[in-house]
Amino acid sequence: MTEQVMEKREKPAKNGKLGRRKILPLLAIVAGFVVFFAFGGHNYLSFSALSEHRETLQTWYAENTFVVTVGFCVLYALAVAFSLPGAVWMTLLGGFMFGTVLGAVLIISSATLGAVLIFLAARYALADFFRARAGATIQKMEAGFRQNAMSYLLVLRLVPIFPFWLVNLVPAFLGVRLSTYTIATFLGIIPGSVVYCSVGSGLGDLFEQGREPDLSIIFQPNILLPILGLAGLSMLPVVYKKIKSKTSDA
């Protein structure tokens, strides 16, 4: 009952207009994006920056473990919410500072929170605007997507066919439930996060050798094939529904 009430409250007025109040989340996202580049934030999301500041980061973490941990989670969530570039490098940093297991837990939780924030902002500000202009086209897409939202979202999260920020936005326009979106996001980003956190945990050795990490590791067969297998399993409910539907019609 409570979830149904929350879902109703989350739906904006269906007038298809961009009022001042609806534009505020968009302005906040644009402002965050501009501020990030204006203050050179992108310069700190690189292998050379991590290598240069690694001792300072380790010292901060050793002396202020709780503050640094919370600060990292907040920054990661904001980076996802504002669709900032450099998520891979922040994931590597998380693995380097916290280790594979703790780093993955923090990153998966923070990324999910950030994705939920941008999802809610997009749904509040733009969902009705796009529906009013797309008409029957988006209604057909919405009907098909919502029937198998969990499966489709898991595949999109597991296999990086489209940019992460785009997968954050599209479900908001297609009427996907917040609970479904959150669960699919959390589960779908686990494999990739664990892989890159594992790479990050070994950065110390790479720093000593003067080498850069192999970011294409996720495309190696021993890693990619299991992920594709999970994506295939995620699509089984969709296949089953289609087979069942054809059998019923026959």
Side-chain angles (χ1 to χ4, degrees):
M1 184 67 178
T2 304
E3 185 177 354
Q4 292 177 350
V5 173
M6 290 178 66
E7 289 291 339
K8 289 180 180 179
R9 289 179 179 176
E10 287 159 5
K11 293 180 181 179
K14 298 181 179 180
N15 52 23
K17 297 180 180 179
L18 284 177
R20 292 182 180 180
R21 298 176 70 176
K22 287 188 175 183
I23 292 178
L24 288 178
L26 300 180
L27 293 178
I29 293 172
V30 172
F33 200 86
V34 172
V35 168
F36 174 77
F37 283 98
F39 284 87
H42 58 290
N43 295 324
Y44 294 95
L45 297 177
S46 64
F47 179 76
S48 59
L50 290 181
S51 178
E52 181 180 352
H53 300 288
R54 66 183 186 277
E55 294 182 359
T56 302
L57 292 170
Q58 289 177 320
T59 301
W60 282 355
Y61 180 60
E63 296 178 351
N64 306 279
T65 304
F66 178 76
V67 174
V68 171
T69 302
V70 173
F72 175 83
C73 291
V74 171
L75 290 175
Y76 200 106
L78 289 176
V80 174
F82 288 115
S83 301
L84 300 177
V88 172
W89 292 108
M90 289 194 70
T91 303
L92 293 176
L93 173 60
F96 175 68
M97 293 182 63
F98 309 112
T100 302
V101 177
L102 179 57
V105 170
L106 296 176
I107 286 165
I108 293 166
S109 302
S110 302
T112 301
L113 175 59
V116 167
L117 291 176
I118 186 64
F119 171 86
L120 291 175
R123 186 160 74 176
Y124 175 76
L126 295 174
D128 288 336
F129 178 80
F130 277 102
R131 281 197 187 97
R133 281 151 183 78
T137 302
I138 198 170
Q139 290 179 5
K140 292 180 180 179
M141 290 179 60
E142 182 177 349
F145 197 92
R146 289 187 66 177
Q147 288 179 0
N148 305 286
M150 181 66 75
S151 296
Y152 290 145
L153 280 173
L154 281 174
V155 171
L156 291 174
R157 291 302 191 191
L158 286 167
V159 184
I161 303 173
F162 300 103
F164 190 80
W165 61 267
L166 182 60
V167 182
N168 291 339
L169 296 176
V170 173
F173 306 147
L174 298 179
V176 175
R177 291 171 61 90
L178 175 60
S179 56
T180 301
Y181 174 85
T182 304
I183 294 171
T185 297
F186 183 87
L187 295 177
I189 63 177
I190 289 176
S193 299
V194 171
V195 169
Y196 284 117
C197 275
S198 177
V199 174
S201 67
L203 284 182
D205 293 334
L206 294 180
F207 289 146
E208 297 299 328
Q209 299 171 16
R211 296 166 51 199
E212 294 192 9
D214 180 12
L215 299 183
S216 64
I217 186 175
I218 199 168
F219 296 108
Q220 293 181 3
N222 61 324
I223 294 177
L224 181 60
L225 290 179
I227 293 178
L228 292 177
L230 290 174
L233 289 175
S234 301
M235 289 300 293
L236 286 180
V238 180
V239 176
Y240 173 76
K241 287 181 181 179
K242 289 186 177 181
I243 294 176
K244 186 178 179 180
S245 177
K246 290 182 179 180
T247 304
S248 301
D249 295 338

